[in-house]
Amino acid sequence: PMKGYKKYFGKKIIWFLITLVFAVLLNFILPRLMPANPVATITGKLVGGSTDAAIVQQTYEQYMKEFGLDKSMPEQFLIYVKNLLRGDLGVSFSQYPKRVSEIISSSVGWTIALQLPAILVGWILGNVLGALAAYIKKGFDKVLLPVSLFMSNIPAFAMAVILLVVFAVNLKVAPLAGGYNYDMIPNLSWPFIWSVITHYQLPFWSIVLVSIGGQAIGMRSMSIYELNADYVKYARFLGIKDRKIVGYVFRNAMLPQVTGLAMSIGTMMGGALVAETIFSYPGLGTTLMKGVTSADYPLISGSTLVTTLMVLVITFVVPLYNILGVVVLNITKTYTFSQSMVNSLGAGLGYLLAMVLFSGVRSRVDTADVPECFKGVPITLVAASIMSVSFMGFTGLVENMFK
C-alpha cells in the first residue's frame, strides 16, 4: 500500500508544481494586459494641479523606474520571480510605499476565518441533510430534493445580494458592510468582538447556504446507493440493529463526498471571494477588487497567487482524510489510546501550527476591557490556545469516526 501511496502523491506533487508554475506565469501576465496605466493615474493624483509639463514628465518617469515598469516584460518577469523566491511580492502601486505582503497579511486572516468554517459547515450540513433524506424518505425527501436543487443553482453573489437586501436593507437586523464598525479600532474588547460577530453573519451564511444544496444532493444519491447494497440486506437479514448498519452506510457514502469537496473547493472559494466584495468584508476578495479598480499589478498578482496557493494546498490535503482514516484505524487496532491522549495530540498540533503561522506577530493584549491577568499576554499565545482547542476537537472527531 505504501508504494501505491508514494506513486499517487508523487503524481499529485508534480501536478501541484506544474499548476503553481502556470499560476505564477498567469498572475504576472494577466494584470499587465489591462488597458489602464497605473503610473499615469498616480501621476495625475500627485501633480493634478500642475501646469508644468516637465514636472509631470519627471514624476511619471520617476514612478516608472521605481516600479520597474521601464524595463522589458521578460526582465520584469525575471525580477518578479526572483523577488517571489525571497517571499517579496513587491510594492503596491495604489498604496505606495506599502508592501503587498503587508496588505495581504492584514486581509488573509479575515478570508480564512470566514471561508474555512463556512465551507466546512455547509459541507457538514449538506451531508447530514442528504443522509437524512435518503434514510427517512417520504415528505422530508420530497421537500429537501427540490430545495437543494434550487439552492445549488443560486450563484454566490446572488445569495449574498438576497441576504443583504432582506436582512440588512429591509429588516435592518444586520450591518450593511465591513468586518466591524468603521468607528472602532481593532482590539480584544467585547464591543469590538461583538461587532466582528454581527458583521460576520451575512457573509458566512451566504457561503453556507450556497454550499448546502450540492452536498445534500450528492450525499442523498450515495446514501440511497449504499442502503440498497447487498451487504446492508445481508446485515438486516442477520438481525443486526438498523442503527449500526446505517452508521457503516453513511461512512461509506461519505468517502466520495470528501473527494467532491476537494474538487469543488476552488469554485467555492471563488464564490466566497465575490461574497466578500459584495459585503465589503476586509478579506482577499475586497483587496483584489481594490487592486483591479486601481490597476495595481503587484496587489492583483499577490492576491490571486495567495488564493491559488490556498486552493492548491487544500485540494492536496483533503484527500489525506481517507489515508488518515486508514492510519488511525490501524493505530487504534495496534495500540490502545485513551481519549485524553488523542485530545492532547490534537492540542499539541494546533499549538505548534499557531506558533508557526503567527511567529511574526509581536503584539500583546493591551486593552482596558480585559481582566488584569490577561494584559501583556502575546497575541501569538492567544491564537495558539484557540487553535489548540480547535485541533483537540478535530482529532477527537476523527478518532471517533474511525473507531
Side-chain angles (χ1 to χ4, degrees), residues 194-264:
W194 180 249
S195 178
V196 170
I197 292 171
T198 54
H199 284 78
Y200 184 84
Q201 297 306 311
L202 288 186
F204 176 80
W205 288 109
S206 71
I207 300 168
V208 169
L209 291 173
V210 170
S211 306
I212 286 176
Q215 300 300 332
I217 293 168
M219 186 62 176
R220 175 186 173 277
S221 300
M222 288 306 305
S223 297
I224 290 173
Y225 174 80
E226 290 292 332
L227 284 167
N228 292 317
D230 290 339
Y231 74 90
V232 174
K233 296 175 183 176
Y234 183 66
R236 282 173 174 165
F237 177 76
L238 293 175
I240 298 173
K241 291 182 179 179
D242 210 41
R243 184 177 178 181
K244 192 167 187 179
I245 296 171
V246 168
Y248 285 105
V249 165
F250 292 151
R251 284 182 195 176
N252 292 337
M254 281 286 288
L255 296 178
Q257 291 296 98
V258 175
T259 306
L261 175 65
M263 292 173 66
S264 61

Side-chain angles (χ1 to χ4, degrees), residues 19-20 61 136 140 150 213 302 353:
T19 306
L20 184 60
E61 291 175 357
I136 297 173
F140 187 80
F150 176 73
L353 182 61

Side-chain angles (χ1 to χ4, degrees), residues 253-331:
M254 281 286 288
L255 296 178
Q257 291 296 98
V258 175
T259 306
L261 175 65
M263 292 173 66
S264 61
I265 201 78
T267 306
M268 289 181 182
M269 284 195 67
L273 289 175
V274 174
E276 284 185 8
T277 306
I278 291 170
F279 290 105
S280 297
Y281 199 76
L284 280 175
T286 304
T287 301
L288 180 59
M289 187 65 182
K290 288 178 180 176
V292 171
T293 53
S294 57
D296 192 336
Y297 302 159
L299 189 57
I300 297 170
S301 299
S303 300
T304 51
L305 183 62
V306 170
T307 306
T308 304
L309 280 172
M310 287 168 62
V311 172
L312 286 173
V313 170
I314 294 171
T315 306
F316 183 81
V317 169
V318 167
L320 290 174
Y321 172 87
N322 297 334
I323 297 172
L324 178 64
V326 176
V327 171
V328 170
L329 186 62
N330 290 333
I331 291 175

